[in-house]
Amino acid sequence: MPTITNAHNDLIHDAVLDYYGKRLATCSSDKTIKIFEVEGENHKLVETLSGHEGPIWRVDWAHPKFGTILASCSYDGKVLIWKEENGKWAQIAVHAVHSASVNSVQWAPHEYGALILAASSDGKVSVVEFKDNGTTAPVVIEAHAIGVNAASWAPSVMPEGGVSNQTRRFVTGGADNLVKVWKYNSESQSVTLEDTLEGHTDWVRDVAWSPSVLLRCYIATVSQDRTCIIWSKEEKDDKWTKTLLQNEKFPDVLWRASWSLSGNILALSGGDNKVTLWKEDLEGKWEPAGEVQE
Amino acid sequence: MVKLAEYSRTATFAWSHGKIPSLVTGTASGTVDANFSSESSLELWSLLSADASKPDASLAVDAKFNDLDWSQDNKILAGALDNGAVELFSNPKDSLKFEASFRSHSKSAKTVRFNAKQCNILASSGTQGEIFIWDLNTCLKNPDYKPLTPGSSMNSIDEITSLAWNQCLAHVFASAGSSAYASIWDLKAKKEVIHLSYSSPETGLKSQLSVVEWHPKNSTRVATATGSDTDPLILVWDLRNANTPLQTLSKGHSKGILSLDWCSEDENLLLSSGRDNTIVLWNPESGEELTQYPTRGNWCFKTKFAPDAPDLFASASFDNKIQVQTLQNLVTTLDQEQSVTKQQESETDFWNHVSQEESDVKPTVLRMQAPSWYENKSPAAHWAFGGKLVCITANGLGVSITKPKLPGLEDNALLDE
């Protein structure tokens, strides 16, 4: 498994493998995005993308059915969309509806179309759809009073090509210590608040909706208060149950949470550079599931 | 949020400490407001209230305010009144309650500041070099409490309009005012221990050091600002070499500076505002100007970050306005669309509503610098297909892709390449 040293000359904030595990995108405070080809142990830098005017916080690959497309968000308040066509990368769209840092960007489940969800320190969240004729129809809503730090789509439970009346949800985490679950209605282009989940006592730094479609849906939220909370509920219940991942606090601020694509293993990233893995036992308690050696 | 709130008051203010801060305002002394009323009131405003024109609580006060401060535990509010009184209030369950009043300053009380380390210690200042140190634990129980004085000063100091407690040492504070000196006091030594003065290279004259604020983490670093309109400078000093400033922040203001605030969460951010009606965000380390905020209708006499929500700051100006805004207020595609439609407006329409038009002039960003509370240094681990985990390396400059061994989930030979 490769290790790429000195990929950037300033802090890297996000690194994401594409669907096939062949391409790695990294973004950094040096205002560039780098695309690497990775194969077994070796790696090759294929492109450096400039265009953002501030540190770039996150990147996200679109589903391959839309082409080789990457979204990036930055402190400059913009979401840029990049596309590779016959070997050449170019910026194909700018989404600039936010008046402050855009802290997270994520493509919707591909069944919904080419849709992205952006969360910004201007307190708003925006959903924008890239239609075939290139027009974008952004829906912008006020989500958290002082700023939104992260937003994550719920997985689509609809079978491939099924009718699309199934409710589309996403979760947001804010600088008001709150976690909110929203319903997005693509016909009426509207977003309504479904639940407000209280529990954290400091900034919610990341929220992650588990992509595994199980009997229960799971949301992991991590915060500046050094705790991780797992919110879960079955489709039929209306109340989310709240479980602290572990009772004592983590040694440092927890910055990111990521669910494995199968097996529902949760990876937490702490400010102490530690990555811890967790899985649910049969009684619904969460236990460590291996360690990542640095 | 663009402009979070705007309160039509000519008043000084203080932020509460907390993630969702509230603001308390006190009618500013030395101004006559629209209806010439001499009433003075202390008002409590919450950012989330639907109607920003009405305070959540209001309390009549018998004199106008020169300054206000809120203790770190949000329990006590201290006001410096222009009748010389230092008054203490509390805010049980979002109301306002009078606690005590001490007519201790001979003429007018100019400023009050809670100690950064101990929330029961308060300093107040007035004219003729009066500085008093209060212990709230005793003064709240004893109506004829006499505050302490910090000891002797090097030479006579006139009016003191700026006080700032050292952010690391509870027994050290700084004072500045109408004289050409800023003083550093040590309560243990019971005297003024250091004297800062600066003669500007152009004029050779001593410039007036009238505002002082401490570095949030470094106990020997302090910033001063010149209140006079001739070469308004912000100087950053390291007290270990108190005769020449470390850094000079110039050309940001064209008139005297009335207020400074060094961000408690990021020492590379400093706000200043003054008589040129503008507010400037600086990087005091590099001396660079980062952002210039839209000019106000009159002098901007107080500008403060919200201590625990530093993306927000409030600023008060003598045009009957206190504005709460965010550090960033970037131009968006919606603004561009609005300005396009505005240009196609008929002349009559334009002049009809030009006066009520809420001028949404945007701040000019000179250098885009992300505050430290955005920099999230962590492995940012990301799962990928095939049980791969992508992590950023410890130094933050590299990336590693691993396949963690998960107990109970044996490797599947087929899956592995």
Side-chain angles (χ1 to χ4, degrees):
Chain A
M1 286 298 159
T3 298
I4 305 166
T5 54
N6 302 27
H8 285 264
N9 44 37
D10 201 338
L11 273 185
I12 298 175
H13 297 295
D14 205 11
V16 186
L17 271 176
D18 70 356
Y19 277 74
Y20 306 113
K22 291 281 169 286
R23 287 277 186 78
L24 175 76
T26 62
C27 63
S28 148
S29 282
D30 66 12
K31 304 181 197 160
T32 69
I33 297 162
K34 289 188 187 268
I35 312 283
F36 297 87
E37 253 159 28
V38 285
E39 190 65 52
E41 280 310 312
N42 35 46
H43 53 84
K44 184 160 72 73
L45 172 65
V46 289
E47 188 69 79
T48 300
L49 304 173
S50 318
H52 277 298
E53 293 146 41
I56 305 167
W57 305 126
R58 297 207 191 183
V59 279
D60 194 32
W61 291 96
H63 190 274
K65 80 178 190 189
F66 300 113
T68 312
I69 295 181
L70 190 72
S72 61
C73 68
S74 155
Y75 183 73
D76 65 8
K78 295 192 173 62
V79 171
L80 299 182
I81 311 294
W82 313 82
K83 184 169 191 180
E84 186 203 37
E85 264 166 335
N86 34 57
K88 255 195 61 34
W89 280 90
Q91 180 186 316
I92 56 168
V94 182
H95 172 55
V97 296
H98 292 290
S99 60
S101 170
V102 180
N103 303 316
S104 96
V105 67
Q106 191 193 38
W107 291 98
H110 64 84
E111 295 87 344
Y112 300 169
L115 230 69
I116 55 159
L117 171 66
S120 165
S121 292
D122 66 3
K124 298 183 180 123
V125 161
S126 60
V127 180
V128 66
E129 190 170 2
F130 295 94
K131 302 213 177 85
D132 319 341
N133 47 26
T135 59
T136 56
V139 177
V140 187
I141 52 145
E142 306 276 346
H144 292 264
I146 311 231
V148 195
N149 295 328
S152 169
W153 286 99
S156 145
V157 288
M158 185 175 58
E160 179 59 31
V163 84
S164 75
N165 60 2
Q166 167 254 353
T167 28
R168 303 171 176 194
R169 288 191 178 81
F170 59 83
V171 60
T172 60
D176 54 5
N177 311 352
L178 295 177
V179 173
K180 292 184 180 177
V181 179
W182 307 80
K183 259 195 295 199
Y184 168 68
N185 182 322
S186 56
E187 278 82 32
S188 63
Q189 289 282 294
S190 65
V191 174
T192 45
L193 177 62
E194 204 177 46
D195 285 304
T196 300
L197 308 177
E198 291 184 23
H200 284 297
T201 56
D202 203 336
W203 282 28
V204 179
R205 282 292 175 178
D206 198 11
V207 291
W209 200 311
S210 167
S212 323
V213 180
L214 308 160
L215 185 57
R216 298 180 69 82
C217 54
Y218 292 85
I219 294 177
T221 60
V222 289
S223 159
Q224 193 98 358
D225 65 12
R226 304 194 348 241
T227 66
C228 170
I229 298 177
I230 307 289
W231 311 86
S232 80
K233 110 172 154 70
E234 288 186 22
E235 199 47 41
K236 56 176 174 44
D237 335 330
D238 48 19
K239 281 275 294 128
W240 290 87
T241 57
K242 168 185 159 194
T243 347
L244 260 174
L245 192 75
Q246 62 173 22
N247 293 337
E248 65 284 359
K249 292 207 170 190
F250 278 80
D252 202 326
V253 174
L254 290 174
W255 288 95
R256 299 290 279 278
S258 173
W259 292 98
S260 65
L261 299 166
S262 61
N264 225 23
I265 310 286
L266 181 64
L268 296 182
S269 301
D272 53 3
N273 276 315
K274 282 250 179 348
V275 176
T276 50
L277 304 180
W278 304 84
K279 69 177 168 37
E280 192 180 24
D281 66 16
L282 297 177
E283 298 93 29
K285 269 191 8 20
W286 289 83
E287 53 183 23
E291 176 84 39
V292 180
Q293 311 73 21
E294 191 30 51
Chain B
M1 232 40 113
V2 169
K3 194 183 332 153
L4 269 177
E6 185 169 297
Y7 308 121
S8 43
R9 291 287 186 279
T10 305
T12 185
F13 65 89
W15 279 109
S16 74
H17 295 261
K19 282 293 155 203
I20 312 274
S22 30
L23 208 65
V24 76
T25 61
T27 312
S29 123
T31 61
V32 180
D33 61 19
N35 36 37
F36 295 95
S37 85
S38 68
E39 287 132 20
S40 166
S41 57
L42 184 74
E43 289 170 315
L44 178 67
W45 309 79
S46 104
L47 287 184
L48 305 179
S49 76
D51 170 7
S53 63
K54 280 206 319 322
D56 290 2
S58 183
L59 189 68
V61 178
D62 43 28
K64 292 194 170 173
F65 288 83
N66 279 317
D67 199 8
L68 258 175
D69 199 15
W70 210 324
S71 62
Q72 272 81 1
D73 54 15
N74 289 334
K75 290 214 177 70
I76 296 289
L77 284 146
L81 304 185
D82 58 13
N83 62 0
V86 169
E87 296 213 341
L88 303 176
F89 309 88
S90 61
N91 66 319
K93 290 193 295 316
D94 285 344
S95 66
L96 287 171
K97 180 164 161 292
F98 171 82
E99 291 294 336
S101 176
F102 301 90
R103 291 286 290 268
S104 49
H105 285 284
S106 50
K107 280 228 221 59
S108 150
K110 287 294 177 189
T111 183
V112 275
R113 242 355 228 285
F114 277 97
N115 186 299
K117 289 281 166 196
Q118 294 159 10
C119 17
N120 62 318
I121 302 294
L122 177 75
S124 72
S125 76
T127 53
Q128 289 124 18
E130 283 167 356
I131 300 179
F132 297 134
I133 308 295
W134 306 75
D135 177 354
L136 298 192
N137 296 346
T138 45
C139 82
L140 281 171
K141 301 191 197 70
N142 156 10
D144 36 42
Y145 169 85
K146 286 285 168 280
L148 307 168
T149 60
S152 55
S153 71
M154 289 188 189
N155 51 17
S156 81
I157 309 176
D158 194 354
E159 188 184 64
I160 292 172
T161 53
S162 177
L163 278 178
W165 286 96
N166 188 296
Q167 295 298 301
C168 317
L169 307 170
H171 63 283
V172 174
F173 71 93
S175 69
S178 52
S179 75
Y181 303 98
S183 311
I184 310 294
W185 300 81
D186 180 335
L187 290 178
K188 284 187 184 145
K190 287 201 79 39
K191 63 179 163 68
E192 179 189 7
V193 286
I194 299 176
H195 213 52
L196 295 176
S197 73
Y198 176 74
S199 351
S200 82
E202 289 92 19
T203 63
L205 297 170
K206 280 214 177 339
S207 43
Q208 183 204 46
L209 304 182
S210 50
V211 187
V212 65
E213 282 295 334
W214 288 91
H215 187 289
K217 294 194 179 55
N218 178 333
S219 71
T220 63
R221 215 143 288 166
V222 70
T224 62
T226 315
S228 66
D229 289 350
T230 50
D231 82 67
L233 281 180
I234 299 169
L235 303 170
V236 179
W237 308 76
D238 190 315
L239 298 179
R240 289 169 289 202
N241 162 16
N243 27 41
T244 50
L246 260 180
Q247 181 60 270
T248 312
L249 279 57
S250 56
K251 292 195 289 304
H253 285 283
S254 54
K255 289 256 183 50
I257 293 156
L258 300 173
S259 177
L260 285 180
D261 194 21
W262 207 322
C263 182
S264 56
E265 299 297 320
D266 181 350
E267 70 252 26
N268 290 325
L269 292 177
L270 178 88
L271 275 173
S272 66
S273 70
R275 287 205 197 84
D276 55 3
N277 308 354
T278 60
I279 304 153
V280 176
L281 181 68
W282 303 84
N283 176 331
E285 181 67 27
S286 66
E288 279 169 305
E289 218 184 311
L290 302 179
T291 306
Q292 253 180 23
Y293 292 92
T295 47
R296 305 282 278 266
N298 204 318
W299 297 356
C300 190
F301 60 91
K302 187 166 186 179
T303 303
K304 290 287 173 192
F305 291 100
D308 297 327
D311 265 318
L312 311 179
F313 69 95
S315 41
S317 44
F318 285 127
D319 58 350
N320 201 31
K321 231 186 244 169
I322 294 183
Q323 270 184 350
V324 177
Q325 46 190 313
T326 50
L327 283 184
Q328 273 191 306
N329 182 7
L330 304 162
V331 176
T332 68
T333 39
L334 311 180
D335 303 317
Q336 277 142 0
E337 279 146 22
Q338 263 158 15
S339 64
V340 164
T341 48
K342 208 164 180 195
Q343 274 137 28
Q344 286 142 5
E345 218 176 5
S346 73
E347 281 163 36
T348 42
D349 285 352
F350 172 72
W351 289 111
N352 283 349
H353 54 66
V354 74
S355 57
Q356 320 95 359
E357 194 59 42
E358 189 46 52
S359 91
D360 46 24
V361 172
K362 293 262 174 167
T364 359
V365 179
L366 302 156
R367 196 172 139 345
M368 190 164 276
Q369 171 186 311
S372 60
W373 58 86
Y374 279 88
E375 298 289 344
N376 44 38
K377 189 165 180 323
S378 93
H382 242 284
W383 284 105
F385 280 109
K388 289 183 189 148
L389 191 67
V390 186
C391 299
I392 297 170
T393 55
N395 66 7
L397 304 176
V399 177
S400 73
I401 304 172
T402 58
K403 245 179 97 138
K405 288 276 164 299
L406 301 177
L409 297 172
E410 272 55 44
D411 283 354
N412 176 331
L414 291 173
L415 256 179
D416 293 348
E417 274 87 1

